[in-house]
Amino acid sequence: IRRFGFGEPTGTDLYGESAGNIKNLNNLKSDIQFFTASFGQGITVTPMQLAAAYNAIANGGTLMKPQIIEKVVHPDGTVSEIKPEEVRRVISQKAAIQTGKMLESVVKNGHGKRAAVPGYLVGGKTGTAQVASTTAKGYEEGKSIGSFAGFAPIDDPKYTILVRMDDPKNVEWAESSAGPTFGELMKFLLEYGNIEPTEKYTPK
């Protein structure tokens, strides 16, 4: 979890960036914290951290420092390029490829079908999180955060997207809220970037 960058700022130099909170994992006397963290409870992460983690999988297991700008054009016309910065290897390339195939299966066969983009292999995962109460222990009744994170094309990733929806109405699970939005955004980006389709399909 720490190798993926959770629990510390990503270093984007954005003012007020949060580090998230994974302190529950410091409690080595109880395995329950590790069990619940495996599906996202008991820890907090930022959208930037989560997008960076998916990027690490897309990059073959290497975590890159997120960058907000590509270059700076100075008043005198000179240009300063912001070069991509490698943070560390998180998982092996083999593990990254296997994880990518699992994420692909979620979109092909699982709860992420509405995030699919015709003509492309897309990988991603839904997330439906309860909202912690600010007035008492436990969670807010009837409130959730829906998310879908993923990348495409699977075999040669060009774009990573994270969609987060706070307290969506009339839907219970992210597959019906964030998932379709992810699919629309990814379709737009792939077409905008002139990325060649990777699969045969019949345009509607």
Side-chain angles (χ1 to χ4, degrees):
I1 287 176
R2 291 189 187 280
R3 287 205 305 271
F4 268 108
F6 300 124
E8 61 184 19
T10 62
T12 59
D13 296 327
L14 287 177
Y15 179 76
E17 184 187 4
S18 170
N21 189 336
I22 60 172
K23 290 180 181 177
N24 276 349
L25 300 184
N26 293 332
N27 181 7
L28 300 180
K29 295 181 180 179
S30 173
D31 286 341
I32 189 66
Q33 304 296 349
F34 292 95
F35 299 153
T36 56
S38 71
F39 55 85
Q41 283 192 333
I43 61 175
T44 64
V45 304
T46 69
M48 186 73 76
Q49 289 172 336
L50 192 56
Y54 270 82
N55 271 341
I57 299 169
N59 287 332
T62 300
L63 180 69
M64 304 295 291
K65 178 182 175 181
Q67 58 185 87
I68 306 301
I69 56 176
E70 184 179 34
K71 60 186 177 181
V72 177
V73 180
H74 300 283
D76 63 0
T78 59
V79 177
S80 298
E81 302 259 349
I82 310 298
K83 293 183 179 180
E85 184 179 331
E86 183 177 316
V87 180
R88 60 182 162 266
R89 173 161 289 281
V90 180
I91 53 177
S92 69
Q93 185 173 23
K94 180 180 179 181
I97 292 171
Q98 290 175 329
T99 304
K101 292 298 182 184
M102 293 165 69
L103 295 171
E104 177 190 333
S105 181
V106 171
V107 176
K108 269 187 171 181
N109 311 306
H111 292 295
K113 291 178 181 176
R114 296 181 68 182
V117 180
Y120 300 90
L121 291 178
V122 177
K125 183 68 184 74
T126 57
T128 303
Q130 295 169 289
V131 178
S133 173
T134 57
T135 58
K137 288 186 178 180
Y139 298 94
E140 295 282 355
E141 187 68 31
K143 283 190 176 183
S144 66
I145 297 172
S147 65
F148 195 98
F151 51 85
I154 281 290
D155 294 330
D156 186 17
K158 302 296 184 186
Y159 303 107
T160 295
I161 296 176
L162 167 62
V163 175
R164 168 183 162 157
M165 292 189 173
D166 286 11
D167 196 20
K169 306 300 181 185
N170 303 319
V171 291
E172 186 174 359
W173 306 108
E175 63 184 288
S176 301
S177 58
T181 304
F182 172 98
E184 290 181 24
L185 286 170
M186 185 61 79
K187 180 176 185 295
F188 171 82
L189 281 176
L190 291 168
E191 291 177 351
Y192 183 81
N194 293 316
I195 308 302
E196 288 291 324
T198 56
E199 303 294 300
K200 291 182 178 180
Y201 76 106
T202 303
K204 293 183 178 179

